[in-house]
Amino acid sequence: EDGLDMARVEKLSEAGVDIVVLDSRNGDSGVQVELIKKIKSQFPKLPIIAGNVVTCGQAKALLDAGASALRVGMGASSVGTTSELKAVGRPQATAVYRIAKYAKEHYGVNVVADGGISNSGQVMKALCLGAAAVMVGSLLAGSQEAPGNYFFHNGVRVKAFRGATSGNQSRANSWEVASGVSGAVVDKGSVHSLVPYVTMGVKHGMQDLGTRTMPDLHQALRAGSLRCELRSGAAQKEGAVHDLQ
C-alpha cells in the first residue's frame, strides 16, 4: 500500500495539486509518519495536511515528520461513533484550541478543524478557537452536488448521508469495525447558494467581534481580548429559536 500511496502522490504532484491531505481517523501512527517523511524527501515543496490528531503529543509526531498543517478532530463527526464505540477522542473545542496554540507557537503551522460543523456559527467557533480552516462534510451533505439520491421522508425531501467509516463503507473489510453511521439530511439546494450564505454568516460574526481578518481574529485570541465562555442549558435555549408553535 505504501508504494501505491507514493505512486498516487507522484501523479498528484505531476498534475499540479496545491496540497496533499492524508486521511486517517487516527493520524498518530508509524505508517503516517513514515509516509510524510517519504513524501517530503521526494517532493520537499509539496505541502501536506496530516491527521487526525487531538493531543499535542500526536501533533508533535506529525509535525516533526514534516507535516505542513494538521487536521484536528476525533469522535466529533456528526456521523461518527468513535467516542461511543472506542471511548477515544476529545471535545472538539478543547482539541482545536490546544492543538492550534501548540502548532502555531512551536512550529508556526495552522490547523484545520474537522468534525461536526453544520452551520456558520460552528465555523465561527472553530476559527475563534484558533483554526485557520474547517472541514464541512455534514454542512455540504444534502446539497445538489453531494453524492447520493434524493427521496422523501415524512413529506420532506432528503438525501442519504453516510460517514466514511460507517457500516455501509466498511463491509468490504469484514474485520473492520464500523465507527460511523448512515442517515439522511434535509435538501439544502445548491452549494452555489449554500456556501455564500455560510460565508456571509462568518463575515457577520467577525464584524460583530470587531475583527477584519483571520490574523486579527487569532491575534485577539492570543492577546486575551477574544474570550470564549461556557453557556448554561438555559443560555443555549435562549440563544436559539424558542417559544414558537
Side-chain angles (χ1 to χ4, degrees):
E1 291 187 3
D2 187 53
L4 177 60
D5 287 336
M6 288 305 299
R8 294 173 63 193
V9 171
E10 183 176 355
K11 292 294 185 182
L12 290 170
S13 179
E14 292 175 355
V17 296
D18 296 315
I19 198 164
V20 168
V21 180
L22 304 184
D23 187 15
S24 174
R25 285 172 291 178
N26 181 7
D28 185 25
S29 68
V31 173
Q32 186 161 155
V33 168
E34 291 303 314
L35 183 57
I36 294 172
K37 291 179 179 178
K38 287 184 177 181
I39 295 174
K40 280 299 182 181
S41 66
Q42 295 188 35
F43 310 97
K45 295 183 178 180
L46 182 62
I48 302 171
I49 298 180
N52 283 30
V53 297
V54 291
T55 69
C56 294
Q58 293 174 325
K60 184 179 188 303
L62 299 183
L63 292 170
D64 286 344
S68 311
L70 297 173
R71 287 170 58 185
V72 177
M74 188 181 298
S77 170
S78 63
V79 288
T81 58
T82 298
S83 296
E84 297 178 8
L85 182 67
K86 306 173 184 178
V88 174
R90 195 175 193 182
Q92 185 69 346
T94 300
V96 170
Y97 175 74
R98 296 295 183 187
I99 305 302
K101 185 174 186 292
Y102 175 81
K104 179 62 72 172
E105 289 181 352
H106 294 277
Y107 295 87
V109 305
N110 294 315
V111 305
V112 181
D114 179 15
I117 293 178
S118 58
N119 57 53
S120 58
Q122 291 169 341
V123 174
M124 269 301 299
K125 291 175 186 177
L127 299 179
C128 286
L129 289 165
V134 295
M135 302 285 287
V136 289
S138 60
L139 191 151
L140 299 181
S143 65
Q144 293 178 9
E145 292 80 2
N149 297 317
Y150 284 114
F151 60 95
F152 284 90
H153 178 69
N154 292 333
V156 179
R157 193 171 189 243
V158 298
K159 178 177 279 193
F161 177 45
R162 61 176 182 267
T165 55
S166 67
N168 288 344
Q169 294 291 81
S170 301
R171 288 189 184 123
N173 299 320
S174 58
W175 49 266
E176 184 175 351
V177 178
S179 54
V181 298
S182 301
V185 290
V186 176
D187 177 14
K188 297 178 181 176
S190 172
V191 294
H192 293 289
S193 57
L194 176 61
V195 171
Y197 177 81
V198 173
T199 302
M200 187 56 64
V202 173
K203 288 182 177 180
H204 281 303
M206 294 185 66
Q207 180 183 36
D208 290 346
L209 286 175
T211 53
R212 184 181 297 272
T213 65
M214 289 286 293
D216 291 343
L217 183 68
H218 291 164
Q219 177 57 36
L221 175 64
R222 291 189 293 269
S225 57
L226 171 62
R227 299 180 59 85
C228 299
E229 296 185 355
L230 292 174
R231 293 193 299 167
S232 66
Q236 294 181 47
K237 179 180 178 181
E238 291 170 353
V241 177
H242 59 91
D243 296 330
L244 295 178
Q245 298 296 323

